Amino acid sequence: MSLKPFGAAALNQPLIGQPGGRSRLETPAAVLDLDIFERNIARLAQTCKRAGIAFRPHAKSHKCAEIARRQMAAGASGICCAKPGELLALFEGGANDLMLSAPIASAAKIDALARAAARGARIGVVVDRLNLVAAYAEAASRHGTRFDVFVDLDTGLRRSGVASAQEAVALACAVTDQASLRYVGVQAYQGRVQHIEGFAARRSANNKANRLLTAMLDVLKQAGLAPGIVSGGGTGSHLLDGQAQVLTEVQPGSYVFMDEAYNPVDIYGAGGPEFGPALRVAVTVVGHSSAGFAITDGGSKSFAPDGPPPRVFLGGALVGRIEWCGDEFGRILPEPGYGTLPIGTVVECTVPHCDPTINLHDFLHVVSEGRLVALWSIEARGRAD
């Protein structure tokens, strides 16, 4: 269910379709360049298709039901979610094939997931302990539904999952014993691999994780529990995972938007990130400091600052970088040859880290060339529950 525009989005709604509307946005505003976004979507889908590997994109990067629908239309096998609240918000927004990629400990949240499944959602969950298997089985049985279940394997991230093949077998056996659960596979996510900048170093780290994973998969197979799906990976490793053919599907997230943290990562071994910066945050110069800097209306409440500083663009030209000067404000450090931008100038900035940045906004302002073409609601914004 799309949200009715409010705040800056409501003020910007009349600009939809108007020439030059992109440069007249009320700000701060999350801006999605539709042309770059569509190229990113298509490129990943084509790469995975050529490699014969499925992709189940991670919605933690976008939290938007419309983007989830477009990923499914591009061939995704489903959509990953980080938290139950995120998953349930996307379900209410119209997304239907959803996987919760982390274990949880709340009976109330498990019950909410089972109720959604009973209403028609296909929901996959991961398990890393026997009592969680039992909790999912009881809730699904009580609501007359069924969960798809992935056994969570730790291949070096040290965050969740079991690290021994014997524990994996025990969990898979427990799942198969429950009529309200369906054992569909395993998950093995190695997040530390994703942002290794050099292609060769990233391949080496990914191979190390795959050796641990392969050993566990061999034991599962010997026990008659060979997983149908082996899920993991991400934006930084999806090409390598397609080449290695250990995973059967990957879980990329940031590729739809990209950010400054991923910008140095040589994803395809060709010297660049391969995906374009589709997500920007538009801000307005609202004043000039006594030191002569342009001050913008976007600070840490508009950008998640856990990454390299944003680059600032005006009409496609790089004019500076943002330096934080408060929760509400930033200052533009100009590129050589550029002076202080006039008050009222609207600029677009790249983002340090796309996942937590999108969590600060309620709507995406979808643009193509110089026009605002749509507003997409970010249904799971703020759903860290």
Side-chain angles (χ1 to χ4, degrees):
M1 182 184 300
S2 295
L3 302 174
K4 182 179 179 180
F6 59 89
L11 296 175
N12 289 326
Q13 193 169 26
L15 295 175
I16 292 176
Q18 291 192 18
R22 179 173 185 170
S23 63
R24 294 156 51 201
L25 294 175
E26 294 293 334
T27 64
V31 175
L32 180 67
D33 188 304
L34 183 62
D35 306 298
I36 298 174
F37 165 80
E38 289 180 339
R39 288 196 294 271
N40 290 348
I41 291 278
R43 177 143 205 178
L44 183 122
Q46 291 164 2
T47 298
C48 291
K49 184 177 181 180
R50 285 195 297 266
I53 192 170
F55 62 102
R56 189 185 300 263
H58 218 302
K60 65 181 181 180
S61 293
H62 61 73
K63 295 177 173 284
C64 172
E66 178 61 28
I67 291 180
R69 285 190 286 270
R70 288 172 181 248
Q71 290 174 317
M72 292 295 292
S77 54
I79 301 294
C80 287
C81 297
K83 295 290 188 71
E86 186 175 274
L87 184 152
L88 295 170
L90 291 181
F91 171 58
E92 296 299 337
N96 193 51
D97 196 332
L98 301 161
M99 172 187 174
L100 181 63
S101 63
I104 57 176
S106 164
K109 291 176 182 177
I110 291 171
D111 188 74
L113 292 171
R115 283 186 274 115
R119 290 173 52 202
R122 178 168 185 174
I123 295 178
V125 296
V126 303
V127 296
D128 63 349
R129 56 191 186 275
L130 292 173
N131 65 352
L132 185 54
V133 174
Y136 276 128
E138 189 279 328
S141 178
R142 180 160 35 85
H143 288 283
T145 189
R146 203 175 190 194
F147 287 126
D148 290 343
V149 180
F150 296 78
V151 173
D152 198 15
L153 307 179
D154 181 6
T155 58
L157 185 57
R158 303 290 187 263
R159 185 172 69 190
S160 69
V162 295
S164 79
Q166 291 71 31
E167 289 176 288
V169 168
L171 285 170
C173 285
V175 173
T176 59
D177 285 344
Q178 299 289 343
S180 58
L181 303 179
R182 183 187 299 109
Y183 171 58
V184 296
V186 300
Q187 175 183 257
Y189 176 62
Q190 186 23 310
R192 292 194 179 96
V193 169
Q194 305 307 317
H195 284 273
I196 297 173
E197 294 180 7
F199 187 74
R202 195 166 62 261
R203 184 192 294 277
S204 177
N206 208 48
N207 287 344
K208 180 179 179 181
N210 280 338
R211 287 193 291 272
L212 295 173
L213 173 58
T214 299
M216 287 190 270
L217 294 177
D218 287 344
V219 175
L220 284 166
K221 184 177 181 179
Q222 291 164 14
L225 295 164
I229 300 172
V230 183
S231 189
T235 295
S237 70
H238 72 276
L239 177 75
L240 299 172
D241 293 320
Q243 294 171 346
Q245 293 290 301
V246 177
L247 300 179
T248 66
E249 72 174 21
V250 290
Q251 301 178 2
S254 298
Y255 80 100
V256 292
F257 290 154
M258 296 304 286
D259 52 33
E260 291 292 344
Y262 256 117
N263 196 52
V265 179
D266 184 5
I267 295 176
Y268 282 11
E274 305 303 328
F275 299 97
L279 178 66
R280 308 279 181 91
V281 174
V283 295
T284 301
V285 177
V286 295
H288 294 154
S289 73
S290 60
F293 293 107
I295 304 300
T296 70
D297 61 353
S300 60
K301 290 181 181 177
S302 300
F303 301 82
D306 59 333
R311 289 171 290 158
V312 182
F313 291 86
L314 177 62
L318 176 63
V319 298
R321 282 192 176 267
I322 289 287
E323 181 179 72
W324 312 117
C325 58
D327 296 344
E328 315 288 354
F329 304 104
R331 65 172 63 90
I332 298 176
L333 305 179
E335 289 288 296
Y338 287 93
T340 305
L341 295 174
I343 292 172
T345 304
V346 176
V347 295
E348 292 183 8
C349 308
T350 58
V351 299
H353 186 182
C354 59
D355 299 23
T357 294
I358 205 68
N359 197 48
L360 300 170
H361 297 269
D362 294 291
F363 296 91
L364 279 165
H365 294 70
V366 184
V367 300
S368 180
E369 297 182 349
R371 295 176 187 260
L372 175 67
V373 297
L375 293 170
W376 294 349
S377 57
I378 303 169
E379 289 88 350
R381 174 259 199 275
R383 296 303 303 268
D385 56 347

